[in-house]
Amino acid sequence: MTLAPELVERFRRDLSALWPHAGGAEKLLLAVSGGADSLAMLLLAQAAIPGQVEAATVDHRLRAAARDEANYVARLCADLGVPHRILTVEVPEGNLQAEARSARYDALARWMEERDVATLATGHQLDDQAETLLMRLNRGSGLGGLAGIRALTGVPGHEYLRLVRPLLGWRRGELASVVAAAGIEPVIDPSNDNDDFDRVRMRKALASADWLDMPAIARSAGLLAQAETSLEWVVSREWSECVSHADGVVTYRALQTGLGGDKIIRPMLLVRIFRALGARLDLAGAGVLVETLTSGRAGNVAGIHAEAIDVAGDRLWRFRPENPRRAN
């Protein structure tokens, strides 16, 4: 199968920006479902870095046709000379998409460890990015959510392994054309037409909104991701300069860097403080607690007691686990 050289070179550049090992000994694992996006990634990667790619297909056992589809991908990989593995998982009850995603990444991470592969690539593309941003805007997400799909991150639940998404600059139609030109029929997942899922409804709505500039929306998501990264750096610096953690108590010198009425950095810092104490706090709850502490009041949230006190001319916010309640 011969691909247009300019497409192969474009993919090589996009991949190298995230994974600078082309031409080396390190392997890259591709998550290939059989859909057009992941098949295009398979074709482009094998052409761009032959001999460095392996592939895996996760069978969630949620549809009768899933095993046949995985076997279809296995045959395509055999034709391409790409090592391939079918990973079968059990999806727990609950939120179907969330549980399937977690089971999928767990299985891929285990296989990466077995194969001694440090980096996973998925086929998320530009239209996925734009859809994600608009869905999260519709939910009123904060900056972290609006950052969308990261091009380079850790494998969810296994952050010591790398996850790259080299197709975030490619349109869905472009990738479908790559697969069609190779004479391959992609797998059609019926869930992609199921209106029970938010993404499907968003995709259908966007199909009739031709006035929207999808590449521009995706660029915005990328810029928001950069903004969040910058904020995380500021939070890390605030932590290193103003936070101490000893004997189960976290102390934040709240006035040392003059953040004052800040409503972004401080809530992010509180989320990190709660995490250090083994508790969970979302940004909305952190914002409320910041207002409570700024006014000089104390509060109990998620099992953590927080208080603001003045000591030797310094304003301290202290956080510790609540005292166990006495039984009557």
Side-chain angles (χ1 to χ4, degrees):
M1 302 174 188
T2 303
L3 302 181
E6 63 272 17
L7 294 179
V8 176
E9 181 56 31
R10 175 184 169 190
F11 178 83
R12 185 184 290 111
R13 287 197 307 269
D14 291 345
L15 176 63
S16 295
L18 306 171
W19 187 76
H21 300 287
E26 187 167 331
K27 299 288 187 178
L28 178 68
L29 181 67
L30 310 179
V32 183
S33 66
D37 300 338
S38 62
L39 286 180
M41 179 177 65
L42 171 66
L43 294 169
L44 291 163
Q46 177 61 358
I49 51 169
Q52 284 189 261
V53 295
E54 299 189 6
T57 302
V58 178
D59 176 7
H60 300 87
R61 298 200 287 187
L62 295 174
R63 296 183 293 109
R67 193 68 182 188
D68 289 340
E69 294 167 357
N71 287 328
Y72 173 64
V73 175
R75 291 192 297 272
L76 290 175
C77 287
D79 291 341
L80 291 168
V82 174
H84 177 269
R85 180 77 168 196
I86 297 173
L87 307 174
T88 303
V89 301
E90 291 282 350
V91 179
E93 294 183 2
N95 182 308
L96 180 63
Q97 287 193 320
E99 294 294 350
R101 178 179 183 271
S102 178
R104 179 167 61 252
Y105 280 122
D106 286 348
L108 289 165
R110 288 193 298 271
W111 183 240
M112 291 171 72
E113 291 171 348
E114 188 168 336
R115 297 293 294 169
D116 194 26
V117 175
T119 307
L120 172 71
T122 62
H124 295 91
Q125 31 76 1
L126 185 148
D127 294 82
D128 292 329
Q129 179 74 290
E131 291 162 6
T132 298
L133 175 60
L134 292 171
M135 287 167 58
R136 292 177 178 175
L137 275 171
N138 196 46
R139 296 172 187 160
S141 296
L143 182 59
L146 298 181
I149 304 170
R150 302 276 187 152
L152 173 62
T153 184
V155 174
H158 308 269
E159 280 70 18
Y160 55 92
L161 299 169
R162 290 188 299 273
L163 172 59
V164 297
R165 298 180 172 106
L167 298 179
L168 285 181
W170 296 64
R171 297 297 305 270
R172 183 177 288 127
E174 291 181 289
L175 299 171
S177 295
V178 169
V179 176
I184 296 174
E185 284 289 329
V187 168
I188 304 299
D189 185 345
S191 67
N192 289 334
D193 200 42
N194 187 342
D195 287 342
D196 289 340
F197 298 123
D198 290 345
R199 184 173 294 277
V200 173
R201 294 196 299 273
M202 178 61 74
R203 187 170 298 164
K204 290 181 177 180
L206 291 176
S208 60
D210 57 2
W211 52 272
L212 286 173
D213 187 335
M214 300 294 275
I217 293 171
R219 283 197 300 273
S220 293
L223 291 171
L224 288 166
Q226 292 179 33
E228 188 193 25
T229 299
S230 298
L231 288 174
E232 288 171 349
W233 180 86
V234 176
V235 170
S236 294
R237 181 164 180 172
E238 187 77 356
W239 176 280
S240 65
E241 293 183 354
C242 303
V243 175
S244 58
H245 187 184
D247 300 324
V249 177
V250 175
T251 301
Y252 170 45
R253 296 185 297 282
L255 299 181
Q256 182 156 320
T257 55
L259 286 175
D262 171 77
K263 295 185 179 180
I264 298 177
I265 305 302
R266 280 181 163 178
M268 293 176 69
L269 182 67
L270 261 58
V271 169
R272 182 177 293 196
I273 288 172
F274 271 60
R275 190 183 304 129
L277 291 170
R280 296 187 62 180
L281 181 67
D282 61 24
L283 278 173
V288 173
L289 184 54
V290 165
E291 292 182 2
T292 298
L293 294 169
T294 300
S295 68
R297 293 176 287 130
N300 294 301
V301 181
I304 301 298
H305 177 73
E307 61 181 350
I309 59 175
D310 291 330
V311 177
D314 201 359
R315 175 69 51 80
L316 305 180
W317 292 2
R318 285 184 176 166
F319 306 84
R320 58 173 173 75
E322 289 184 72
N323 293 325
R325 296 176 183 243
R326 293 182 179 179
N328 292 330

